[in-house]
Amino acid sequence: MSNVLELQGVSSFYGPIQALRDVSLDVREGEIVTLIGANGAGKSTLMMTIFGQPKAKTGRVLYCGDDITALPAFKIARRGIAQSPEGRRIFPRMSVEENLLMGAQVINYEDYDTNLKKMFALFPRLEERFAQRAGTLSGGEQQMLAIARALMSKPKLLLLDEPSLGLAPLVIKQIFGAIRDLNRETGLTVLLVEQNANQALRLAHRAYVLVNGQITLRGTGAELLAKPEIRAAYLEGGH
C-alpha cells in the first residue's frame, strides 16, 4: 500500500512554544491510523499542522507523495483532505442543510445529491433534522453533522479530531461504527486523534502514541492495546 500521508521530522511552534518535536508518521491508503495521547500532548496541533495552521517549522508534510508543507489550507482541502475538528465547529445558526452545503463547496457541489443520500444512509438523524438549526442539535447529532460536512467534499483522507469528546457511550458506539463502515465499504483513509484509547485502538489498523509533542510508541492497534504501559496510562484510569 502506498502512503497517502507522511510526516517527516515535523516540528511546529505556537509563538515561542514548541508543540511538535521531530514527528514522523505515515498513513497508508485504506488504513485507519489513530494517534493517542494525554491532554496537551500535541495531537490537535499535529492535525492543524497538516493543514498548515501552524506551518511546520522543520520537516515536511507529504500527501500522495507531494510536498504540501507550504500550501495554504484551502489548497490542501482541494487536494482531497477533509477535517472534522475538535469541538465540531459547526455553524450553529445555519441549518443542517446549509452546513452540508458548506462542506460540498470545496468540490463545487459535484454530485451533491448523491453525496447527500450517502450521508443520510450513514447518519439517518441528519435527514430528520435537515431543516433544523445546527445549534439546536444534540451533541451526538452535531458530531454526526461535523463528520458528514467533512465527507461532503469526497475526501481521499479524513482527519478526525476527538470525535467521541463529550458524548454518551451509545452515541460513541454509533460514531465509531460509522467510521469503521466507511473504511470497510469505501476504502476511505482515516487519521484519528482520540482520547478514548480503548475504542480508538480497537478500531485502528495501526497507532502512534504522542507524549509531549514526540512519538514514543508505534505499532498495530492490537499490539498497543496489549502493552502494559499503554493499559496503565490510558486504559486503566490513567490520563
Side-chain angles (χ1 to χ4, degrees):
M1 290 184 292
S2 59
N3 287 339
V4 173
L5 178 71
E6 187 175 0
L7 273 63
Q8 299 177 341
V10 168
S11 298
S12 63
F13 291 75
Y14 284 118
I17 300 171
Q18 186 167 7
L20 298 178
R21 303 172 186 275
D22 194 30
V23 170
S24 294
L25 61 78
D26 60 83
V27 182
R28 300 165 194 156
E29 186 174 3
E31 279 191 318
I32 298 175
V33 172
T34 192
L35 184 70
I36 65 171
N39 275 333
K43 304 186 303 297
S44 292
T45 300
L46 186 147
M47 292 293 228
M48 297 305 295
T49 300
I50 293 169
F51 260 96
Q53 299 176 328
K55 292 192 181 300
K57 185 90 169 182
T58 62
R60 299 196 304 164
V61 179
L62 302 179
Y63 173 67
C64 296
D66 295 331
D67 190 339
I68 62 169
T69 314
L71 290 182
F74 76 93
K75 288 189 177 180
I76 293 172
R78 286 178 180 171
R79 283 176 173 245
I81 305 178
Q83 184 174 21
S84 176
E86 181 182 7
R88 299 151 200 161
R89 299 187 194 176
I90 57 167
F91 301 102
R93 295 187 178 183
M94 296 169 65
S95 68
V96 168
E97 178 184 15
E98 290 165 335
N99 272 268
L100 294 173
L101 280 166
M102 292 295 289
Q105 72 173 348
V106 174
I107 53 170
N108 295 319
Y109 310 105
E110 180 185 341
D111 298 325
Y112 173 77
D113 290 336
T114 300
N115 294 336
L116 191 62
K117 289 177 182 177
K118 291 178 181 178
M119 294 308 102
F120 290 162
L122 190 65
F123 300 120
R125 294 303 291 268
L126 296 183
E127 185 172 16
E128 298 172 17
R129 303 284 191 264
F130 195 53
Q132 191 170 320
R133 277 193 181 187
T136 65
L137 302 179
S138 69
E141 290 166 347
Q142 289 185 17
Q143 185 61 71
M144 293 172 192
L145 177 57
I147 295 172
R149 181 181 61 187
L151 291 171
M152 287 297 290
S153 67
K154 300 198 300 185
K156 184 179 180 70
L157 171 64
L158 176 63
L159 308 181
L160 287 174
D161 195 348
E162 302 285 8
S164 77
L165 189 64
L167 301 183
L170 182 59
V171 179
I172 293 172
K173 184 177 179 181
Q174 292 173 340
I175 295 289
F176 277 85
I179 297 167
R180 179 182 289 108
D181 290 346
L182 272 171
N183 173 258
R184 287 177 177 173
E185 294 170 11
T186 70
L188 179 68
T189 305
V190 179
L191 176 60
L192 168 67
V193 160
E194 181 56 61
Q195 277 193 322
N196 189 330
N198 186 41
Q199 290 272 10
L201 292 175
R202 291 181 187 281
L203 179 69
H205 298 100
R206 293 188 302 117
Y208 295 85
V209 179
L210 193 68
V211 178
N212 296 326
Q214 294 179 295
I215 299 292
T216 60
L217 285 171
R218 65 190 71 205
T220 67
E223 286 170 347
L224 293 190
L225 268 173
K227 285 185 177 292
E229 61 267 42
I230 296 297
R231 301 199 66 83
Y234 303 106
L235 304 177
E236 298 172 353
H239 299 285

